[in-house]
Amino acid sequence: VVSGRRSFFYIYDAVAGKIQLVPRIMGREEKSLEVCVPSPDGKTIAFIGNDGYVILVDTKTKQWIADLKLNGSVRAVSFTQDSTQILASGSDGDVYRFDTRTHRCIN
């Protein structure tokens, strides 16, 4: 995944040597998608969005899956090694743990 201070991003397939432009995330109005993290299993991309949101995108369809909401603005996001949870830290100093299947905050 190649992203930046733009509303679009690229998916680079190193095996096939192809680059695909994803013009935007439907349903979202972010002007900057500069911070993203792919899941270890390769199925999901987590972007830091506006107003405390983590935006989840499916890597196959390039479509929006879900939004995860923090109380403050998102500072960092990471997947667990088995891709079953997402950890996100916010400007409020808390670390949030989300289940990737239900998209619910665990704690």
Side-chain angles (χ1 to χ4, degrees), residues 90-101:
S91 59
D92 59 359
D94 289 334
V95 176
Y96 297 77
R97 183 184 303 264
F98 293 91
D99 184 296
T100 56
R101 283 172 244 146

Side-chain angles (χ1 to χ4, degrees), residues 20-54:
Q20 179 183 6
L21 169 67
V22 180
R24 66 186 184 120
I25 300 172
M26 298 298 281
R28 298 296 307 177
E29 297 181 12
E30 272 67 23
K31 294 181 180 172
S32 176
L33 295 171
E34 64 185 298
V35 180
C36 67
V37 177
S39 63
D41 66 6
K43 295 179 180 179
T44 309
I45 305 166
F47 288 94
I48 293 180
N50 297 335
D51 304 320
Y53 284 98
V54 175

Side-chain angles (χ1 to χ4, degrees), residues 69-100:
K69 179 70 172 120
L70 280 64
N71 290 330
S73 57
V74 183
R75 298 292 188 224
V77 65
S78 180
F79 286 87
T80 55
Q81 197 62 27
D82 61 2
S83 299
T84 61
Q85 297 178 0
I86 293 174
L87 302 171
S89 64
S91 59
D92 59 359
D94 289 334
V95 176
Y96 297 77
R97 183 184 303 264
F98 293 91
D99 184 296
T100 56

Side-chain angles (χ1 to χ4, degrees), residues 11-20:
I11 301 280
Y12 176 64
D13 184 341
V15 175
K18 294 183 180 182
I19 298 174
Q20 179 183 6

